[in-house]
Amino acid sequence: MPESSRVCVVTVTYGNRFDFLARMVEATVAEGVGRVLIVDNASEPESGNQIDELVQSAEGRIVALRLPENGGSAGGYKAGLEYAAEADYDYFWLLDDDNCPEPGALAQLLGACTRYEGDTAFLSLRTDRQQYIAYAKGCSKEACFGRRNSFLGFALADIPSKVLRRVLGKQLDSTIKPTEKLRPVPVAPYGGLFFPKRLLHKVGLPRHDFYLYGDDHEFTHRFIQNGVPIFLVPASRVTDIDRSWHVKADDQRDYFIHPLVLTAARTDKSMRLYYSVRNRVYLERTALVAQPLLHFCNALSYLSMLGLLSLVAAVLKTTLAPLSNFGIIMRAVSDAGHNRLGKKALQ
């Protein structure tokens, strides 16, 4: 089995998240990794100073790469992997700054490496990602990750099953048995991704022009395109300290339309909405669509339904916020269709 000391962890932090980062680093070092590389994505001065203190106390085991401006998750992980590739380590384990590996998580990944020959990547199980939990328990790939020609996860063919689950109030079982078998996934988040360093020559680096959201799926989809499977390792568990903006602990239902669309307009949420939609639609259009006509029908149905619901919500709530959010989605879809990526200013 490969040695844990041959593993370099790459993580990206921003803003003022040192409390999360410190807990993540402590848990990661306890797993026996050789080095933790912290990409400081132009975090606030207070956090930057705390990172410097952490690095100085670690005697080389923890290093920091400070970026002059926030390049988003794509820019951060791209810079981190470029930097880490120059160091003498055999494996990379990508973790978000709020991902705490549970004891033995790395050992499970290293053990999985001994079971598969050739170029293979692995993924730790994030305990707040219901689709991966369901998939680990045997749920179908289509049910967990969407149909191939869907639009933002929407497919006309899925309506009957979605309605039935909503009527029955069926929720996903979040309990995981550590003995469940490894299963290949079509895409993966950065947080928990584990792979040999040599694979960078085959798949390349994250695309900085994705900026935020979907860049991890675009990056990991290239693994699959290049014949490198990614296996989910349910026994390698990672706990998210700070729950992602689109994940709610008390909400395990199958939404076609995220409630954010029909709520008050906020600048921070609008940016997230724009990038998540734009990048997902671009990835679908350029890499995931096998039947363009079917994809177009799903897109037209989804956007028509969303526009109608936004109008109804605006009338009932006597606010233009739902229509504003719908406008952001339409701009994102248009930009994706015209290959307009990169960091944008929303007005």
Side-chain angles (χ1 to χ4, degrees):
M1 186 169 71
E3 296 180 2
S4 60
S5 60
R6 303 304 302 163
V7 177
C8 176
V9 166
V10 179
T11 188
V12 177
T13 191
Y14 63 98
N16 190 9
R17 295 170 58 84
F18 182 78
D19 288 344
F20 296 134
L21 176 68
R23 292 168 62 183
M24 184 279 289
V25 170
E26 181 181 8
T28 304
V29 169
E31 290 295 288
V33 301
R35 173 170 289 181
V36 178
L37 169 62
I38 301 171
V39 180
D40 183 348
N41 220 349
S43 62
E44 295 180 9
E46 179 184 0
S47 181
N49 293 335
Q50 291 173 310
I51 291 173
D52 289 340
E53 294 175 1
L54 180 64
V55 170
Q56 292 171 7
S57 66
E59 299 180 349
R61 195 171 182 185
I62 302 172
V63 296
L65 172 64
R66 181 157 296 165
L67 303 183
E69 62 179 8
N70 189 332
S73 54
Y77 277 107
K78 179 178 184 291
L81 287 171
E82 281 183 314
Y83 185 90
E86 299 300 320
D88 185 23
Y89 292 94
D90 298 327
Y91 297 92
F92 293 143
W93 192 15
L94 309 189
L95 292 169
D96 292 342
D97 63 358
D98 62 346
N99 291 163
C100 267
E102 296 186 2
L106 180 56
Q108 292 291 339
L109 294 172
L110 295 173
C113 286
T114 64
R115 289 181 251 168
Y116 291 86
E117 297 181 356
D119 292 338
T120 310
F122 301 93
L123 179 67
S124 299
L125 181 67
R126 301 267 291 278
T127 57
D128 73 337
R129 300 300 173 104
Q130 293 297 320
Q131 66 186 124
Y132 290 94
I133 291 176
Y135 187 61
K137 295 179 71 64
C139 187
S140 71
K141 187 178 294 185
E142 281 192 349
C144 294
F145 301 102
R147 295 179 182 270
R148 184 169 178 78
N149 297 290
S150 61
F151 179 80
L152 294 176
F154 173 85
L156 290 167
D158 284 337
I159 291 179
S161 60
K162 293 266 188 176
V163 171
L164 182 60
R165 281 199 294 270
R166 186 71 61 84
V167 170
L168 296 178
K170 185 178 180 180
Q171 295 185 344
L172 299 175
D173 183 357
S174 61
T175 58
I176 288 290
K177 297 178 181 179
T179 56
E180 291 179 81
K181 67 178 182 179
L182 278 60
R183 300 187 69 188
V185 296
V187 291
Y190 290 129
L193 183 64
F194 180 91
F195 59 93
K197 181 174 73 172
R198 66 177 184 274
L199 292 185
L200 284 181
H201 296 291
K202 179 175 286 191
V203 303
L205 295 163
R207 289 182 54 172
H208 68 278
D209 56 354
F210 264 55
Y211 186 58
L212 289 175
Y213 305 114
D215 48 306
D216 50 359
H217 284 186
E218 191 280 331
F219 176 57
T220 54
H221 180 67
R222 275 187 268 140
F223 281 67
I224 310 303
Q225 286 181 315
N226 285 279
V228 180
I230 304 173
F231 286 95
L232 178 66
V233 185
S236 176
R237 307 284 295 279
V238 171
T239 300
D240 288 74
I241 310 170
D242 183 30
R243 195 168 296 274
S244 300
W245 72 276
H246 55 84
V247 177
K248 296 181 181 296
D250 58 349
D251 185 4
Q252 300 177 357
R253 292 171 290 181
D254 307 69
Y255 282 110
F256 275 137
I257 300 171
H258 196 283
L260 171 66
V261 177
L262 306 179
T263 58
R266 284 174 45 188
T267 302
D268 59 335
K269 295 294 180 67
S270 295
M271 297 291 289
R272 293 170 174 177
L273 181 61
Y274 170 80
Y275 287 116
S276 61
V277 171
R278 185 199 67 181
N279 295 349
R280 174 65 189 183
V281 172
Y282 177 86
L283 178 59
E284 288 175 348
R285 185 178 65 81
T286 58
L288 303 179
V289 173
Q291 297 175 280
L293 180 58
L294 180 56
H295 179 257
F296 174 79
C297 291
N298 286 327
L300 181 62
S301 301
Y302 178 86
L303 293 174
S304 298
M305 179 173 56
L306 179 57
L308 178 60
L309 288 176
S310 299
L311 179 60
V312 171
V315 172
L316 294 179
K317 296 183 178 182
T318 63
T319 174
L320 295 178
L323 292 177
S324 175
N325 290 335
F326 178 67
I328 290 171
I329 287 181
M330 292 304 297
R331 174 181 170 181
V333 172
S334 175
D335 284 351
H338 291 87
N339 301 328
R340 293 193 289 259
L341 301 179
K343 187 176 181 179
K344 303 289 183 180
L346 297 183
Q347 297 177 349

